[in-house]
Amino acid sequence: MTRIAYVDGYFQPHAGACVHIEDRGFQFGDAIYEVWSIRGGKLLDEDGHFSRLERSLGELQIANPKTQIAYKLIIRELMRRNRITDGLVYLQISRGVAPRDHTFPKGYLRPTIVMTAKSVNAGKIQSKALEGVAVICVPDQRWGRCDIKTVNLLPNVLAKQAASEAGAYEAWQIDQDGYVTEGSSSNAWIITPEGVLVTRHADHAILRGITRGKILECAQALGYAFEERRFSLEEAKNAREAFMTSASSFATPIVKIDEQTVANGAPGSMVIALREAYLEQD
Ligand code: PLP
């Protein structure tokens, strides 16, 4: 089966799909992106990801080139052509192609749209999650607007690479005051010894994860107390449970932070309940 991508109006073989060398996404990172998880042929948190897409475009003053209905049709077609039941869909939108100049080009510029999709092994992801994963900590080296989902991911790439080299699954980024901001591609959570769920408040230092929002709703439904506030690495290392959330990992238990096991080193019951509640949502 040939893998198919969508680029600027055309479905085409993924292997040969490309964008122009003067695309501003390539030249300047002048682009945003969004990611949806697909489970059982269904997009998870579809509307939440579309709302964030609109917001990211708005923050960069890029006019949305398509309606939500059009994106949804393309996503459905990509899923069909790539025969995806469980997987991920990526959408990147750049400001477009123009002669290289930092300032926005004058007049109308047609944004570049790239969409790709891939299958994932849902069973493997589930068993990995139920074992729990390790994280390492790295300094947060990012810019001041991490709330915008831009394609400028170099600090995240370096953080994830450091995690991989250390045999860990994710890197938690630590701000200058010793507080955890978030993972390289996920939000960070702990459960205090008193059983209170804590995740950083959604300021400009983190991406307001769509999964994060849904997990807060699940916490409320389960009757868990929660606080949106910053927490220190010290507090995380003494937590009862720790976990990460993202569209691709849902809620995944963290059992080790640097060299320290979290509690007894096994996934905690609250995160497992939250993961189940998340996956049972409509
Ligand atoms: N934080 C960062 C830096 C991310 O890249 C991501 C996901 O890609 C998240 C948090 C989680 O966001 P979401 O739950 O919307 O996938």
Side-chain angles (χ1 to χ4, degrees):
M1 191 190 77
T2 307
R3 192 174 169 203
I4 302 295
Y6 173 94
V7 184
D8 272 343
Y10 299 97
F11 289 97
Q12 46 192 287
H14 187 281
C18 54
V19 293
H20 193 282
I21 54 169
E22 283 204 300
D23 191 281
R24 290 180 60 96
F26 173 65
Q27 292 278 349
F28 298 110
D30 189 0
I32 60 92
Y33 77 112
E34 200 46 69
V35 186
W36 288 261
S37 198
I38 308 162
R39 276 297 179 276
K42 194 171 156 273
L43 288 183
L44 301 188
D45 304 332
E46 186 172 25
D47 294 342
H49 288 279
F50 273 115
S51 306
R52 189 173 61 192
L53 175 77
E54 297 280 357
R55 179 178 185 273
S56 301
L57 287 169
E59 291 296 317
L60 301 193
Q61 299 167 51
I62 297 175
N64 195 346
K66 287 205 182 295
T67 62
Q68 237 183 68
I69 292 172
Y71 288 119
K72 287 179 182 174
L73 287 173
I74 299 166
I75 292 175
R76 296 288 181 287
E77 185 59 14
L78 260 190
M79 285 165 61
R80 192 187 69 75
R81 292 192 186 214
N82 291 290
R83 296 193 202 141
I84 295 177
T85 310
D86 297 318
L88 291 164
V89 183
Y90 290 83
L91 162 60
Q92 278 91 10
I93 304 174
S94 83
R95 194 177 305 279
V97 176
R100 193 176 192 284
D101 185 357
H102 283 64
T103 52
F104 297 173
K106 291 202 170 50
Y108 176 73
L109 191 66
R110 184 167 54 84
T112 304
I113 302 177
V114 172
M115 293 173 86
T116 51
K118 66 174 184 185
S119 289
V120 299
N121 184 333
K124 207 166 142 191
I125 292 172
Q126 179 69 4
S127 27
K128 175 97 188 151
L130 297 181
E131 280 170 24
V133 298
V135 298
I136 59 156
C137 295
V138 297
D140 195 332
Q141 307 190 87
R142 299 173 303 162
W143 73 322
R145 290 302 307 272
C146 298
D147 57 307
I148 310 172
K149 198 166 170 71
T150 78
V151 300
N152 294 274
L153 293 172
L154 189 53
N156 312 55
V157 166
L158 296 178
K160 192 75 129 214
Q161 179 62 21
S164 168
E165 286 172 13
Y169 185 74
E170 175 60 301
W172 271 7
Q173 302 171 98
I174 312 297
D175 71 14
Q176 287 183 342
D177 302 320
Y179 290 93
V180 177
T181 52
E182 60 181 338
S184 67
S185 60
S186 58
N187 288 116
W189 303 68
I190 57 166
I191 294 167
T192 67
E194 296 75 34
V196 179
L197 202 58
V198 182
T199 194
R200 191 181 177 105
H201 53 288
D203 54 8
H204 286 178
I206 68 163
L207 185 72
R208 185 188 281 262
I210 303 306
T211 321
R212 173 188 179 281
K214 277 292 157 84
I215 289 291
L216 285 173
E217 285 175 24
C218 293
Q220 214 151 16
L222 288 165
Y224 294 166
F226 63 83
E227 289 171 5
E228 289 180 79
R229 62 162 171 86
R230 55 187 198 165
F231 62 87
S232 67
L233 177 55
E234 181 71 14
E235 191 178 3
K237 288 188 172 173
N238 292 307
R240 186 201 279 186
E241 298 185 28
F243 64 100
M244 53 184 263
T245 57
S246 70
S248 56
S249 68
F250 314 134
T252 293
I254 290 168
V255 292
K256 200 169 161 207
I257 302 174
D258 289 332
E259 289 314 311
Q260 178 145 354
T261 52
V262 176
N264 66 357
S269 57
M270 285 171 77
V271 55
I272 297 291
L274 286 165
R275 182 180 173 93
E276 280 170 11
Y278 176 79
L279 287 170
E280 278 165 13
Q281 65 171 346
D282 281 328

